Amino acid sequence: MKYPKIPLAQTVIQLCKAKGIKHIVISPGSRNAPLTIGFTNNPFFICYSIVDERCAAFFALGIAQQLQEPTAVVCTSGSALLNYYPAVAEAFYSDVPLVVLSADRPKHLIGVGDGQTINQKNVFENHILYSANLKLDLNEKDEVEEELPIFKNMENKIEALLGLKKGIQDYNEAEINKAINTAYSQNGPVHINIPFDEPLYDMVDVLSVNPKTIPIEKKSLEIESSVLKDCINNWNAASKKMVLVGVSSPNQIEQQWLDVLAKDDSVIVFTETTSNLHHEAFFPSIDKIIAPLNDEDFKTLQPEILLTFGGLIVSKKIKAFLRKHKPKQHWHIDLNKANDTFFSLNQWIKTTPNDFFSKFLPEVELSKSDYNRVWQSVKETRAVNHADYLKSVTFSDLKAFEIILNNIPNHTVLQLGNSSTVRYAQLFDLNKTLEVFCNRGTSGIDGSTSTAVGCAVSNPKQTTLISGDLSFIYDSNALWNNFIPNNFRIIVINNRGGGIFRILPGHKNTENFDTYFETNHNLTAEHLCNMYGFEYESVSDAADLKDRLNTFYTASHKPKLLEIFTPKHLNDEVLLDYFKAMG
């Protein structure tokens, strides 16, 4: 087997292997050549070459999201590293373990006008769990001369050099171990900055270093007995308890605990599309339920205890409701962090939801209350109004989503774009066999397609991405990728602009709005599909959409994209009338 000659590169690669980081996403470059040589010549690693670093990082994020284990991205020095930032921020807020390996110039070449050089040390400072800034190997003289004293004889100098060399190696090993262990234990991004001096391409047949592997410290799941006792007592004393679930991976909670929550008359469970939790007694489609409520209704709905778990919440309406009508207590369950989203957080329960419920629910009492019954009645009314409205509504974004979501194959993966896409999906009760994902950490449109591609590569189930037109075009380099499986499907809702801005307050249908907010365009995905080898189809009415979806998911020799053109000047009216009809 061939190895890079540089000991530091050998150290990084060996520790990645020892800690089970198997998927390596590499963007071509020269300064990162020692890493590229090492990863690509080792059969343990699965390597991907993605030219665009922004796409590469989101692609890696999609892999890590599915495998729930660290995935590495490797880039050269300079601005290449900065292109990782959007995905690093998403990983930071979405709790996705991403390991950034950036090659760098030696210290003596930074700040002197050398090419492709920036200040890479701690560059992700505000959105990273740990930054490891490694030291150059000792055999690069320019880096170490200032650290050595003047010696009277060569023997003393050699001894000092050996000691310094060991010190540098020990430091680098400790930093790499700490960074990767943090990615595992805290589920988030870490950055390892790695200086290399030339020559960069030399290879050897035998490793020159054998780095030490430091085990990952396991976090305790134990809850303090006093905390558990207080939670049980407060829960039993309350007659109105609300459970609100944000972004969660599939199968995180045992069904028996969901069943217990569903049986309690004093509990209502609100789930978002991204929560991947389902029960016939729960309340999905939050906005559909609460949008028509008046202030008196909200006071009736106001919980005494709010229990949350999972990631960030999509629904603006429930955030506004719970910020105005605050619960007396808000508990959040998470091992690593607790956001005070509703400005009422008073209990951070540092464990996993499943572990908490296994200790908590067997000890609580089922309370007598009409809280659940009242809101089940509201849910039933909304369901009838929802169905009636969609029977007569004209073709639009809303109608398109109804048809799309009713036709996604069972037991497949659904990736949702941001802005309008995820919010439309929130209005429907999704097929419970689907696994649903969306980049809700920063809620940006910049990497949805790349993330979906990474997901499709790493998950054997078929993946469908639903995206708005601006989001898809913005991330179109995601298709510049040789790894996309033939069963990957993209559905682009093209309303020729940023449709969400037509729903928000503003002066619509003016030149200023059209240009600077909605961003009018006449672009389509057809030429991109021709260039990147996708089968392309387009529709602009309900009948054609239903017809095309009949064959859209059948086996093919290429991935497929379906572009749906909707009437931009009607979409916002249809949606606003929908919320009126729910009451």
Side-chain angles (χ1 to χ4, degrees):
M1 190 185 299
K2 293 293 183 183
Y3 305 99
K5 184 177 181 180
I6 297 173
L8 180 53
Q10 294 180 16
T11 303
V12 172
I13 292 156
Q14 288 184 81
L15 286 175
C16 283
K17 179 180 178 180
K19 293 183 179 296
I21 299 178
K22 195 174 187 67
H23 295 265
I24 314 293
V25 182
I26 301 169
S27 292
S30 182
R31 189 61 51 170
N32 58 333
L35 296 173
T36 302
I37 290 167
F39 283 123
T40 58
N41 279 284
N42 191 321
F44 172 81
F45 299 106
I46 301 171
C47 297
Y48 311 85
S49 178
I50 308 288
V51 174
D52 184 321
E53 282 89 2
R54 188 181 73 189
C55 293
F58 277 108
F59 176 87
L61 185 142
I63 295 174
Q65 173 202 80
Q66 294 302 302
L67 301 180
Q68 296 186 39
E69 60 187 39
T71 300
V73 283
V74 179
C75 71
T76 190
S77 61
S79 61
L81 177 60
L82 301 182
N83 287 304
Y84 284 164
Y85 213 137
V88 169
E90 177 62 36
F92 181 74
Y93 290 109
S94 285
D95 303 323
V96 177
L98 192 68
V99 178
V100 175
L101 303 175
S102 60
D104 199 1
R105 293 289 199 274
K107 187 164 62 176
H108 67 274
L109 291 179
I110 296 172
V112 298
D114 208 39
Q116 206 167 328
T117 305
I118 64 169
N119 293 319
Q120 295 182 197
K121 184 179 179 180
N122 300 330
V123 73
F124 302 122
E125 184 174 11
N126 293 323
H127 300 93
I128 205 80
L129 295 179
Y130 190 74
S131 294
N133 298 287
L134 306 186
K135 295 182 178 181
L136 195 71
D137 285 322
L138 183 60
N139 57 345
E140 313 299 346
K141 291 182 181 178
D142 297 283
E143 192 76 9
V144 301
E145 288 296 332
E146 61 188 45
E147 300 183 38
L148 290 175
I150 298 173
F151 293 96
K152 294 180 180 178
N153 59 63
M154 182 58 67
E155 183 177 335
N156 288 344
K157 185 171 183 178
I158 290 173
E159 186 176 331
L161 283 168
L162 290 174
L164 185 57
K165 183 176 181 179
K166 184 179 186 306
I168 291 172
Q169 180 67 20
D170 288 348
Y171 170 85
N172 286 339
E173 289 178 15
E175 285 293 286
I176 297 165
N177 271 286
K178 186 172 182 179
I180 297 175
N181 287 356
T182 300
Y184 271 105
S185 63
Q186 297 186 37
N187 279 325
V190 296
H191 176 208
I192 304 175
N193 194 53
I194 312 158
F196 293 129
D197 208 349
E198 297 180 5
L200 301 168
Y201 293 88
D202 288 357
M203 291 182 279
V204 294
D205 296 319
V206 179
L207 292 166
S208 59
V209 291
N210 182 26
K212 177 183 178 183
T213 302
I214 301 173
I216 301 166
E217 291 185 13
K218 297 288 185 181
K219 283 196 172 185
S220 172
L221 298 181
E222 288 301 313
I223 310 167
E224 291 183 23
S225 58
S226 60
V227 171
L228 184 61
K229 184 178 179 181
D230 284 347
C231 287
I232 292 168
N233 291 337
N234 287 324
W235 188 267
N236 287 337
S239 60
K240 296 197 297 184
K241 285 99 75 170
M242 180 185 293
V243 178
L244 175 60
V245 189
V247 177
S248 299
S249 298
N251 306 313
Q252 293 294 296
I253 311 294
E254 290 181 27
Q255 188 62 41
Q256 62 175 316
W257 307 130
L258 303 181
D259 292 340
V260 172
L261 290 170
K263 289 176 184 175
D264 195 327
D265 292 336
S266 66
V267 175
I268 60 176
V269 181
F270 276 119
T271 61
E272 295 215 301
T273 298
T274 54
S275 72
N276 287 293
L277 278 189
H278 302 277
H279 196 288
E280 60 182 10
F282 290 175
F283 292 75
S285 310
I286 297 172
D287 287 356
K288 178 171 67 181
I289 293 170
I290 72 173
L293 300 183
N294 58 37
D295 205 53
E296 284 302 311
D297 296 326
F298 281 127
K299 288 178 182 176
T300 304
L301 181 62
Q302 182 180 12
E304 297 165 63
I305 297 175
L306 171 67
L307 174 62
T308 59
F309 60 91
L312 302 185
I313 300 295
V314 175
S315 172
K316 288 184 177 181
K317 297 185 188 304
I318 198 143
K319 282 186 276 194
F321 155 53
L322 290 170
R323 286 171 180 174
K324 183 176 181 181
H325 300 276
K326 291 182 174 61
K328 293 177 182 178
Q329 299 183 56
H330 173 200
W331 313 341
H332 186 75
I333 310 168
D334 192 280
L335 265 174
N336 296 309
K337 62 186 176 185
N339 292 313
D340 191 8
T341 304
F342 312 106
F343 314 129
S344 56
L345 182 71
N346 67 321
Q347 186 68 262
W348 175 13
I349 302 166
K350 298 180 182 179
T351 188
T352 65
N354 206 59
D355 187 70
F356 173 74
F357 287 133
S358 69
K359 294 178 174 66
F360 173 72
L361 289 178
E363 303 299 323
V364 301
E365 303 166 357
L366 295 180
S367 303
K368 290 184 178 181
S369 170
D370 63 356
Y371 190 48
N372 184 281
R373 179 184 55 78
V374 167
W375 291 102
Q376 287 292 347
S377 176
V378 171
K379 183 175 79 168
E380 291 167 9
T381 300
R382 298 287 191 269
V384 171
N385 293 344
H386 173 92
D388 288 345
Y389 184 81
L390 284 165
K391 284 178 186 175
S392 59
V393 72
T394 187
F395 187 67
S396 56
D397 284 351
L398 183 66
K399 188 66 178 178
F401 269 92
E402 179 196 27
I403 298 168
I404 294 165
L405 296 175
N406 283 337
N407 284 277
I408 297 176
N410 290 338
H411 305 290
T412 60
V413 179
L414 174 60
Q415 288 274 349
L416 295 169
N418 270 306
S419 292
S420 295
T421 300
V422 68
R423 297 185 188 282
Y424 272 113
Q426 291 264 104
L427 302 177
F428 297 87
D429 298 348
L430 259 62
N431 178 343
K432 66 181 182 180
T433 71
L434 300 179
E435 298 178 2
V436 183
F437 299 90
C438 181
N439 287 349
R440 289 307 298 175
T442 62
S443 309
I445 69 168
D446 37 7
S448 296
T449 308
S450 294
T451 302
V453 173
C455 164
V457 166
S458 55
N459 192 325
K461 295 182 179 180
Q462 184 175 51
T463 298
T464 300
L465 166 68
I466 305 176
S467 174
D469 49 329
L470 292 189
S471 179
F472 173 74
I473 295 167
Y474 194 96
D475 194 28
S476 60
N477 267 1
L479 306 188
W480 186 9
N481 186 307
N482 294 325
F483 309 99
I484 301 175
N486 291 335
N487 68 350
F488 182 52
R489 299 292 182 263
I490 299 176
I491 297 175
V492 177
I493 314 290
N494 190 339
N495 49 33
R496 301 193 182 281
I500 195 168
F501 291 103
R502 300 189 68 81
I503 302 165
L504 300 174
H507 301 286
K508 292 179 284 191
N509 302 323
T510 65
E511 183 178 351
N512 181 275
F513 176 88
D514 292 351
T515 303
Y516 296 106
F517 289 89
E518 189 178 24
T519 320
N520 282 351
H521 69 86
N522 291 303
L523 303 175
T524 78
E526 184 173 8
H527 294 298
L528 286 169
C529 288
N530 290 336
M531 182 165 67
Y532 290 120
F534 272 65
E535 290 185 17
Y536 173 83
E537 294 181 292
S538 65
V539 297
S540 55
D541 62 54
D544 278 353
L545 176 56
K546 291 176 182 177
D547 182 60
R548 297 295 172 85
L549 287 172
N550 286 333
T551 58
F552 185 62
Y553 293 100
T554 57
S556 59
H557 297 295
K558 295 179 180 180
K560 296 181 183 179
L561 184 148
L562 175 61
E563 189 163 23
I564 304 169
F565 295 98
T566 62
K568 64 181 299 179
H569 292 293
L570 286 177
N571 287 323
D572 57 320
E573 295 178 18
V574 168
L575 184 61
L576 294 173
D577 288 344
Y578 168 83
F579 286 121
K580 293 176 185 176
M582 289 306 99

